Amino acid sequence: MNLNKVVLGVVAVIIVYLAILTITPFFSALFFAFVTAYALEPLHVRLSKRIGVRKSAITLTLLILLLAIGMLLLLAYTLTPVINQAYLYLSDVEEFIKTVQLPIGSLEDLTTQAIEKGKEFLVSLTFSIPKYLLQTVVYLAFVYFFLIKRNAIRELLVFEDERLNRIVERGNLTLQALIRAWLLLNIAKGFLMTLGFMIFRVSNLPTAILAGILTILFSFVPLFEGWMIWVAGSFYLFKQGHLLSALGLAIYGAILVSPTPDFTIRPKLVAREANFDETIVLIGMIGGTWGMGLKGLIIGPIVLNVAIEMLKEWKKITSSPRS
């Protein structure tokens, strides 16, 4: 065996390994940047014809930056009071439990531990802002990169073998369906959240409309999603003493806003758009989310769809000699 080839192979493995270590902390930002650039591609193509590819990429990236700044301000304005109130509420509950003599000691210990975990989560969420800022910077850099290198990436995904092209096309079709379903569903969530705030009298019409807009925006943010809005509304009603309204809004939001529609309506939309089995889409979303977090909502169905297409192509290859 040629020693140079062995050394080259070892160096290649080391470089790939180090590259994976470098990208892993920002994999979520990279993935969502790719999805964003993919969704913006039609607008980017039109804008590039007028002002050029680079200027178009810069313009779209700056628009996303402004949107990200607005999102961070909304998050700080909306979540800070909620987190503070929730922390104080958990502390009050903990003090109340200590004053009550429960018949089962283990139940008291279990409740106290659960409250401590909740307080730790709220504290960690508060101090995670610098991490999200860094992720936002990396996300924007990747969006710009994918927009600039759009043609080069497309060329990398075109093969001489038609079977490989069909597999890639299947993944492309699934991603298109997922993005369209995501957009349509998030807009519907915003409308339903506005309606919910009005029905349960959480706020007046302007604030309810703002809640709907926040629901749409939060639905694009990993971790937060639209459920943050109805949780905040329910918590507000609870603090005001409207227990039934708080419970009603929580049930309304969980069923119609988030997370139930993500695993019921969205699979139907994706299956219809991609001409794919609805059950497989649902399994892909649940399994992907379980294994990879929120990004698995998109990765899971794509992987299963591509895997099934690969099995079909493999069956054609193995059965063709016999025929």
Side-chain angles (χ1 to χ4, degrees), residues 38 47 83 98 154 216 253 274 291 323:
Y38 186 90
L47 200 58
I83 291 174
K98 289 181 180 179
R154 185 179 293 275
I216 295 174
S323 59

PDB file of all heavy atoms in Angstrom, residues 38 47 83 98 154 216 253 274 291 323:
ATOM      1  N   TYR A  38     -33.060  28.572   1.900  1.00  0.00           N
ATOM      2  CA  TYR A  38     -33.855  27.788   0.953  1.00  0.00           C
ATOM      3  C   TYR A  38     -35.221  28.434   0.740  1.00  0.00           C
ATOM      4  O   TYR A  38     -35.708  28.536  -0.394  1.00  0.00           O
ATOM      5  CB  TYR A  38     -34.015  26.368   1.491  1.00  0.00           C
ATOM      6  CG  TYR A  38     -34.690  25.405   0.546  1.00  0.00           C
ATOM      7  CD1 TYR A  38     -33.953  24.653  -0.355  1.00  0.00           C
ATOM      8  CD2 TYR A  38     -36.072  25.240   0.563  1.00  0.00           C
ATOM      9  CE1 TYR A  38     -34.572  23.769  -1.218  1.00  0.00           C
ATOM     10  CE2 TYR A  38     -36.696  24.362  -0.299  1.00  0.00           C
ATOM     11  CZ  TYR A  38     -35.945  23.622  -1.183  1.00  0.00           C
ATOM     12  OH  TYR A  38     -36.563  22.757  -2.048  1.00  0.00           O
ATOM     13  N   LEU A  47     -34.381  39.293  -6.708  1.00  0.00           N
ATOM     14  CA  LEU A  47     -33.635  40.469  -6.262  1.00  0.00           C
ATOM     15  C   LEU A  47     -32.238  40.504  -6.882  1.00  0.00           C
ATOM     16  O   LEU A  47     -31.714  41.595  -7.179  1.00  0.00           O
ATOM     17  CB  LEU A  47     -33.540  40.460  -4.732  1.00  0.00           C
ATOM     18  CG  LEU A  47     -33.221  41.795  -4.042  1.00  0.00           C
ATOM     19  CD1 LEU A  47     -34.262  42.842  -4.401  1.00  0.00           C
ATOM     20  CD2 LEU A  47     -33.179  41.594  -2.525  1.00  0.00           C
ATOM     21  N   ILE A  83     -40.956  35.322  33.522  1.00  0.00           N
ATOM     22  CA  ILE A  83     -39.971  34.504  34.242  1.00  0.00           C
ATOM     23  C   ILE A  83     -39.853  34.947  35.693  1.00  0.00           C
ATOM     24  O   ILE A  83     -39.809  34.126  36.618  1.00  0.00           O
ATOM     25  CB  ILE A  83     -38.609  34.575  33.530  1.00  0.00           C
ATOM     26  CG1 ILE A  83     -38.676  33.861  32.180  1.00  0.00           C
ATOM     27  CG2 ILE A  83     -37.521  33.953  34.383  1.00  0.00           C
ATOM     28  CD1 ILE A  83     -37.430  33.991  31.354  1.00  0.00           C
ATOM     29  N   LYS A  98     -43.711  23.886  52.735  1.00  0.00           N
ATOM     30  CA  LYS A  98     -42.958  23.681  53.974  1.00  0.00           C
ATOM     31  C   LYS A  98     -43.823  23.899  55.205  1.00  0.00           C
ATOM     32  O   LYS A  98     -43.564  23.318  56.265  1.00  0.00           O
ATOM     33  CB  LYS A  98     -41.760  24.631  53.999  1.00  0.00           C
ATOM     34  CG  LYS A  98     -40.674  24.262  52.999  1.00  0.00           C
ATOM     35  CD  LYS A  98     -39.505  25.239  53.081  1.00  0.00           C
ATOM     36  CE  LYS A  98     -38.416  24.861  52.085  1.00  0.00           C
ATOM     37  NZ  LYS A  98     -37.272  25.809  52.128  1.00  0.00           N
ATOM     38  N   ARG A 154     -26.111  24.011  -5.349  1.00  0.00           N
ATOM     39  CA  ARG A 154     -27.012  23.308  -6.266  1.00  0.00           C
ATOM     40  C   ARG A 154     -26.222  22.382  -7.197  1.00  0.00           C
ATOM     41  O   ARG A 154     -26.663  21.270  -7.496  1.00  0.00           O
ATOM     42  CB  ARG A 154     -27.827  24.324  -7.067  1.00  0.00           C
ATOM     43  CG  ARG A 154     -28.877  23.703  -7.976  1.00  0.00           C
ATOM     44  CD  ARG A 154     -29.643  24.783  -8.705  1.00  0.00           C
ATOM     45  NE  ARG A 154     -30.431  25.565  -7.771  1.00  0.00           N
ATOM     46  CZ  ARG A 154     -31.651  25.216  -7.368  1.00  0.00           C
ATOM     47  NH1 ARG A 154     -32.206  24.093  -7.814  1.00  0.00           N
ATOM     48  NH2 ARG A 154     -32.322  25.970  -6.533  1.00  0.00           N
ATOM     49  N   ILE A 216     -46.856  33.980  15.753  1.00  0.00           N
ATOM     50  CA  ILE A 216     -46.300  33.664  14.435  1.00  0.00           C
ATOM     51  C   ILE A 216     -44.779  33.725  14.471  1.00  0.00           C
ATOM     52  O   ILE A 216     -44.090  32.814  13.994  1.00  0.00           O
ATOM     53  CB  ILE A 216     -46.841  34.636  13.374  1.00  0.00           C
ATOM     54  CG1 ILE A 216     -48.350  34.454  13.216  1.00  0.00           C
ATOM     55  CG2 ILE A 216     -46.145  34.408  12.026  1.00  0.00           C
ATOM     56  CD1 ILE A 216     -48.993  35.478  12.293  1.00  0.00           C
ATOM     57  N   GLY A 253     -55.058  26.713  23.862  1.00  0.00           N
ATOM     58  CA  GLY A 253     -53.752  26.905  23.239  1.00  0.00           C
ATOM     59  C   GLY A 253     -53.045  25.605  22.937  1.00  0.00           C
ATOM     60  O   GLY A 253     -52.447  25.447  21.862  1.00  0.00           O
ATOM     61  N   ALA A 274     -46.168  16.723  -0.534  1.00  0.00           N
ATOM     62  CA  ALA A 274     -45.044  15.901  -0.997  1.00  0.00           C
ATOM     63  C   ALA A 274     -45.490  14.559  -1.575  1.00  0.00           C
ATOM     64  O   ALA A 274     -44.646  13.744  -1.941  1.00  0.00           O
ATOM     65  CB  ALA A 274     -44.060  15.659   0.152  1.00  0.00           C
ATOM     66  N   GLY A 291     -35.228  12.666  18.835  1.00  0.00           N
ATOM     67  CA  GLY A 291     -33.794  12.397  18.716  1.00  0.00           C
ATOM     68  C   GLY A 291     -32.932  13.622  18.485  1.00  0.00           C
ATOM     69  O   GLY A 291     -31.765  13.647  18.888  1.00  0.00           O
ATOM     70  N   SER A 323     -35.032  -9.725 -14.262  1.00  0.00           N
ATOM     71  CA  SER A 323     -36.002  -9.501 -15.339  1.00  0.00           C
ATOM     72  C   SER A 323     -35.318  -9.508 -16.692  1.00  0.00           C
ATOM     73  O   SER A 323     -35.910  -9.826 -17.689  1.00  0.00           O
ATOM     74  CB  SER A 323     -36.705  -8.174 -15.113  1.00  0.00           C
ATOM     75  OG  SER A 323     -35.769  -7.118 -15.075  1.00  0.00           O
TER      76      SER A 323
END
